[in-house]
Amino acid sequence: MSEIDVLLDQHRGARHDASSIPIMPRLSTVVVSCLDARVDPVHLFGLAPGDAVVLRNAGGRVDEAVLRDVSLLRVFTAAASGGSRSPELVVVHHTDCGTARLGDPTVASAVAGPVGADADAVAAMAVTDPWATVRHDVGVVRGRFPGQVAHGYVFDVATGELLTAAECETTA
Ligand SMILES: [Zn+2]
């Protein structure tokens, strides 16, 4: 049995019906987090279908792709609410992140090569100190979208604790 068969079996058991869920999420929150299977925001925050948008990549880094999606969500949320709502960003990095391996130049080159990326840029995605990287990434968001409400958290995989690393409320 291949893994797709496992997934399709679980899909049939899940019976997920999205037909009655509005396209705009219940919360305007946008969570950015690592793709690590242990650190799924659905479980971290007890999210149900339709609750919030989750953007995931290696490390949960705020890169250009994430910034583009945040920009889209800011525009769509404002349009859907007549300008009364704007997304609240939550960036979560975590301890024991696999991206730390990108600090090895051989690994960074192996990742960068097939996609034509710069190995140094790939190495810079590494989360070796989640406190430092999450604060940096909240700063990147605030630099691109002045006044954007953004929160930074570190999830400790050893204890299950979600710890506050940065809080940035709307500036006047
Ligand atoms: Zn990770």
mmCIF file with all atom_site columns, all heavy atoms in Angstrom, residues 34 36 59 94 97-99, ligand 1:
data_model
loop_
_atom_site.group_PDB
_atom_site.id
_atom_site.type_symbol
_atom_site.label_atom_id
_atom_site.label_alt_id
_atom_site.label_comp_id
_atom_site.label_asym_id
_atom_site.label_entity_id
_atom_site.label_seq_id
_atom_site.pdbx_PDB_ins_code
_atom_site.Cartn_x
_atom_site.Cartn_y
_atom_site.Cartn_z
_atom_site.occupancy
_atom_site.B_iso_or_equiv
_atom_site.pdbx_formal_charge
_atom_site.auth_seq_id
_atom_site.auth_comp_id
_atom_site.auth_asym_id
_atom_site.auth_atom_id
_atom_site.pdbx_PDB_model_num
ATOM   1  N  N   . CYS A 1 34 ? 6.686  26.827 10.787 1.00 0.00 ? 34 CYS A N   1
ATOM   2  C  CA  . CYS A 1 34 ? 7.538  25.840 10.113 1.00 0.00 ? 34 CYS A CA  1
ATOM   3  C  C   . CYS A 1 34 ? 6.693  24.688 9.567  1.00 0.00 ? 34 CYS A C   1
ATOM   4  O  O   . CYS A 1 34 ? 5.648  24.342 10.112 1.00 0.00 ? 34 CYS A O   1
ATOM   5  C  CB  . CYS A 1 34 ? 8.575  25.300 11.104 1.00 0.00 ? 34 CYS A CB  1
ATOM   6  S  SG  . CYS A 1 34 ? 9.792  24.191 10.349 1.00 0.00 ? 34 CYS A SG  1
ATOM   7  N  N   . ASP A 1 36 ? 7.550  21.706 9.758  1.00 0.00 ? 36 ASP A N   1
ATOM   8  C  CA  . ASP A 1 36 ? 7.816  20.557 10.630 1.00 0.00 ? 36 ASP A CA  1
ATOM   9  C  C   . ASP A 1 36 ? 6.496  19.905 11.057 1.00 0.00 ? 36 ASP A C   1
ATOM   10 O  O   . ASP A 1 36 ? 5.598  20.583 11.583 1.00 0.00 ? 36 ASP A O   1
ATOM   11 C  CB  . ASP A 1 36 ? 8.590  21.051 11.863 1.00 0.00 ? 36 ASP A CB  1
ATOM   12 C  CG  . ASP A 1 36 ? 9.101  19.912 12.735 1.00 0.00 ? 36 ASP A CG  1
ATOM   13 O  OD1 . ASP A 1 36 ? 8.320  18.985 13.042 1.00 0.00 ? 36 ASP A OD1 1
ATOM   14 O  OD2 . ASP A 1 36 ? 10.285 19.950 13.120 1.00 0.00 ? 36 ASP A OD2 1
ATOM   15 N  N   . GLY A 1 59 ? 11.200 26.427 8.416  1.00 0.00 ? 59 GLY A N   1
ATOM   16 C  CA  . GLY A 1 59 ? 11.595 27.383 9.446  1.00 0.00 ? 59 GLY A CA  1
ATOM   17 C  C   . GLY A 1 59 ? 10.488 28.322 9.876  1.00 0.00 ? 59 GLY A C   1
ATOM   18 O  O   . GLY A 1 59 ? 10.559 28.935 10.922 1.00 0.00 ? 59 GLY A O   1
ATOM   19 N  N   . HIS A 1 94 ? 10.415 27.432 16.207 1.00 0.00 ? 94 HIS A N   1
ATOM   20 C  CA  . HIS A 1 94 ? 10.446 26.401 17.255 1.00 0.00 ? 94 HIS A CA  1
ATOM   21 C  C   . HIS A 1 94 ? 11.855 25.894 17.515 1.00 0.00 ? 94 HIS A C   1
ATOM   22 O  O   . HIS A 1 94 ? 12.742 26.036 16.683 1.00 0.00 ? 94 HIS A O   1
ATOM   23 C  CB  . HIS A 1 94 ? 9.518  25.241 16.874 1.00 0.00 ? 94 HIS A CB  1
ATOM   24 C  CG  . HIS A 1 94 ? 10.000 24.429 15.701 1.00 0.00 ? 94 HIS A CG  1
ATOM   25 N  ND1 . HIS A 1 94 ? 10.730 23.268 15.847 1.00 0.00 ? 94 HIS A ND1 1
ATOM   26 C  CD2 . HIS A 1 94 ? 9.867  24.619 14.373 1.00 0.00 ? 94 HIS A CD2 1
ATOM   27 C  CE1 . HIS A 1 94 ? 11.010 22.779 14.645 1.00 0.00 ? 94 HIS A CE1 1
ATOM   28 N  NE2 . HIS A 1 94 ? 10.504 23.573 13.730 1.00 0.00 ? 94 HIS A NE2 1
ATOM   29 N  N   . CYS A 1 97 ? 14.743 22.918 15.340 1.00 0.00 ? 97 CYS A N   1
ATOM   30 C  CA  . CYS A 1 97 ? 14.276 23.052 13.954 1.00 0.00 ? 97 CYS A CA  1
ATOM   31 C  C   . CYS A 1 97 ? 15.273 22.387 12.991 1.00 0.00 ? 97 CYS A C   1
ATOM   32 O  O   . CYS A 1 97 ? 16.480 22.620 13.071 1.00 0.00 ? 97 CYS A O   1
ATOM   33 C  CB  . CYS A 1 97 ? 14.108 24.532 13.587 1.00 0.00 ? 97 CYS A CB  1
ATOM   34 S  SG  . CYS A 1 97 ? 13.320 24.780 11.977 1.00 0.00 ? 97 CYS A SG  1
ATOM   35 N  N   . GLY A 1 98 ? 14.729 21.583 12.092 1.00 0.00 ? 98 GLY A N   1
ATOM   36 C  CA  . GLY A 1 98 ? 15.567 20.873 11.119 1.00 0.00 ? 98 GLY A CA  1
ATOM   37 C  C   . GLY A 1 98 ? 16.345 21.795 10.197 1.00 0.00 ? 98 GLY A C   1
ATOM   38 O  O   . GLY A 1 98 ? 17.380 21.408 9.642  1.00 0.00 ? 98 GLY A O   1
ATOM   39 N  N   . THR A 1 99 ? 15.862 23.042 10.041 1.00 0.00 ? 99 THR A N   1
ATOM   40 C  CA  . THR A 1 99 ? 16.569 23.973 9.160  1.00 0.00 ? 99 THR A CA  1
ATOM   41 C  C   . THR A 1 99 ? 17.970 24.316 9.680  1.00 0.00 ? 99 THR A C   1
ATOM   42 O  O   . THR A 1 99 ? 18.781 24.844 8.927  1.00 0.00 ? 99 THR A O   1
ATOM   43 C  CB  . THR A 1 99 ? 15.791 25.292 8.984  1.00 0.00 ? 99 THR A CB  1
ATOM   44 O  OG1 . THR A 1 99 ? 15.617 25.903 10.262 1.00 0.00 ? 99 THR A OG1 1
ATOM   45 C  CG2 . THR A 1 99 ? 14.441 25.076 8.322  1.00 0.00 ? 99 THR A CG2 1
HETATM 46 ZN ZN  . ZN  B 2 .  ? 11.329 23.711 11.856 1.00 0.00 ? 1  ZN  B ZN  1
#
